[in-house]
Amino acid sequence: MVLSLLGLVLQLDRDGGGRQTGIVTVILLAFTALFGLTIVQLWRHTRTAHCATSKRLTPSV
């Protein structure tokens, strides 16, 4: 992701922006948003005290 951002910045400096650079920017922003959402969901899933699914799947002794 960082390499894509660096490439985008270098492309903006060279071309001054354009259609292809705009498309890459939108894709990179969407990927970053989805990546952030995934991190939050995984972080929430590790806190299993509130998770009804983990309570059902945990074998009771």
mmCIF file of all heavy atoms in Angstrom, residues 3 9 12-14 29 33-34 41 46 52 55 59:
data_model
loop_
_atom_site.group_PDB
_atom_site.id
_atom_site.type_symbol
_atom_site.label_atom_id
_atom_site.label_comp_id
_atom_site.label_asym_id
_atom_site.label_seq_id
_atom_site.Cartn_x
_atom_site.Cartn_y
_atom_site.Cartn_z
ATOM 1 N N LEU A 3 3.920 1.470 -1.142
ATOM 2 C CA LEU A 3 4.554 1.590 -2.459
ATOM 3 C C LEU A 3 3.578 2.160 -3.490
ATOM 4 O O LEU A 3 3.976 2.949 -4.347
ATOM 5 C CB LEU A 3 5.080 0.232 -2.918
ATOM 6 C CG LEU A 3 6.295 -0.286 -2.157
ATOM 7 C CD1 LEU A 3 6.644 -1.690 -2.636
ATOM 8 C CD2 LEU A 3 7.471 0.639 -2.305
ATOM 9 N N VAL A 9 2.201 9.455 -5.784
ATOM 10 C CA VAL A 9 2.796 10.778 -5.583
ATOM 11 C C VAL A 9 3.787 11.097 -6.692
ATOM 12 O O VAL A 9 3.799 12.210 -7.230
ATOM 13 C CB VAL A 9 3.462 10.855 -4.190
ATOM 14 C CG1 VAL A 9 4.300 12.104 -4.054
ATOM 15 C CG2 VAL A 9 2.404 10.808 -3.102
ATOM 16 N N LEU A 12 1.877 11.919 -9.835
ATOM 17 C CA LEU A 12 1.289 13.258 -9.784
ATOM 18 C C LEU A 12 2.331 14.326 -10.077
ATOM 19 O O LEU A 12 2.044 15.317 -10.751
ATOM 20 C CB LEU A 12 0.667 13.511 -8.406
ATOM 21 C CG LEU A 12 -0.687 12.868 -8.154
ATOM 22 C CD1 LEU A 12 -1.100 13.046 -6.700
ATOM 23 C CD2 LEU A 12 -1.742 13.444 -9.071
ATOM 24 N N ASP A 13 3.544 14.138 -9.554
ATOM 25 C CA ASP A 13 4.611 15.108 -9.811
ATOM 26 C C ASP A 13 4.989 15.140 -11.294
ATOM 27 O O ASP A 13 5.245 16.197 -11.853
ATOM 28 C CB ASP A 13 5.846 14.775 -8.984
ATOM 29 C CG ASP A 13 5.670 15.117 -7.516
ATOM 30 O OD1 ASP A 13 4.738 15.882 -7.205
ATOM 31 O OD2 ASP A 13 6.460 14.624 -6.703
ATOM 32 N N ARG A 14 4.989 13.984 -11.923
ATOM 33 C CA ARG A 14 5.442 13.913 -13.307
ATOM 34 C C ARG A 14 4.369 14.381 -14.295
ATOM 35 O O ARG A 14 4.634 15.142 -15.211
ATOM 36 C CB ARG A 14 5.853 12.471 -13.636
ATOM 37 C CG ARG A 14 6.495 12.329 -14.990
ATOM 38 C CD ARG A 14 7.006 10.957 -15.217
ATOM 39 N NE ARG A 14 5.943 9.991 -14.987
ATOM 40 C CZ ARG A 14 6.010 8.725 -15.328
ATOM 41 N NH1 ARG A 14 7.095 8.267 -15.891
ATOM 42 N NH2 ARG A 14 5.025 7.908 -15.092
ATOM 43 N N LEU A 29 -7.716 4.538 -2.328
ATOM 44 C CA LEU A 29 -8.543 4.957 -1.199
ATOM 45 C C LEU A 29 -9.546 3.870 -0.801
ATOM 46 O O LEU A 29 -9.762 3.631 0.392
ATOM 47 C CB LEU A 29 -9.274 6.248 -1.533
ATOM 48 C CG LEU A 29 -8.421 7.510 -1.563
ATOM 49 C CD1 LEU A 29 -9.243 8.694 -2.058
ATOM 50 C CD2 LEU A 29 -7.838 7.799 -0.195
ATOM 51 N N ALA A 33 -9.629 1.949 2.802
ATOM 52 C CA ALA A 33 -10.839 1.917 3.626
ATOM 53 C C ALA A 33 -11.230 0.475 3.963
ATOM 54 O O ALA A 33 -11.564 0.171 5.113
ATOM 55 C CB ALA A 33 -11.979 2.623 2.912
ATOM 56 N N LEU A 34 -11.185 -0.411 2.984
ATOM 57 C CA LEU A 34 -11.523 -1.808 3.238
ATOM 58 C C LEU A 34 -10.515 -2.467 4.172
ATOM 59 O O LEU A 34 -10.880 -3.273 5.028
ATOM 60 C CB LEU A 34 -11.603 -2.580 1.919
ATOM 61 C CG LEU A 34 -12.799 -2.248 1.044
ATOM 62 C CD1 LEU A 34 -12.678 -2.944 -0.305
ATOM 63 C CD2 LEU A 34 -14.083 -2.650 1.729
ATOM 64 N N GLN A 41 -12.720 -5.005 12.300
ATOM 65 C CA GLN A 41 -13.543 -6.188 12.505
ATOM 66 C C GLN A 41 -12.749 -7.323 13.157
ATOM 67 O O GLN A 41 -13.261 -8.025 14.028
ATOM 68 C CB GLN A 41 -14.148 -6.664 11.179
ATOM 69 C CG GLN A 41 -15.162 -5.726 10.602
ATOM 70 C CD GLN A 41 -16.375 -5.540 11.501
ATOM 71 O OE1 GLN A 41 -16.813 -6.465 12.167
ATOM 72 N NE2 GLN A 41 -16.894 -4.332 11.541
ATOM 73 N N THR A 46 -11.578 -10.490 18.207
ATOM 74 C CA THR A 46 -10.692 -11.061 19.220
ATOM 75 C C THR A 46 -11.255 -10.871 20.622
ATOM 76 O O THR A 46 -10.908 -11.605 21.531
ATOM 77 C CB THR A 46 -9.282 -10.443 19.162
ATOM 78 O OG1 THR A 46 -9.375 -9.039 19.350
ATOM 79 C CG2 THR A 46 -8.608 -10.758 17.844
ATOM 80 N N ALA A 52 -21.733 -13.942 20.559
ATOM 81 C CA ALA A 52 -22.627 -15.070 20.801
ATOM 82 C C ALA A 52 -22.173 -16.307 20.033
ATOM 83 O O ALA A 52 -22.342 -17.437 20.506
ATOM 84 C CB ALA A 52 -24.054 -14.698 20.402
ATOM 85 N N LYS A 55 -19.510 -18.145 21.934
ATOM 86 C CA LYS A 55 -20.090 -18.826 23.099
ATOM 87 C C LYS A 55 -20.774 -20.124 22.679
ATOM 88 O O LYS A 55 -20.706 -21.126 23.392
ATOM 89 C CB LYS A 55 -21.090 -17.902 23.801
ATOM 90 C CG LYS A 55 -20.428 -16.747 24.503
ATOM 91 C CD LYS A 55 -21.475 -15.837 25.114
ATOM 92 C CE LYS A 55 -20.812 -14.608 25.726
ATOM 93 N NZ LYS A 55 -21.809 -13.653 26.228
ATOM 94 N N PRO A 59 -16.982 -25.515 23.468
ATOM 95 C CA PRO A 59 -17.580 -26.680 24.145
ATOM 96 C C PRO A 59 -17.734 -26.435 25.640
ATOM 97 O O PRO A 59 -16.831 -25.937 26.296
ATOM 98 C CB PRO A 59 -16.596 -27.810 23.857
ATOM 99 C CG PRO A 59 -15.324 -27.152 23.463
ATOM 100 C CD PRO A 59 -15.667 -25.778 22.953
#
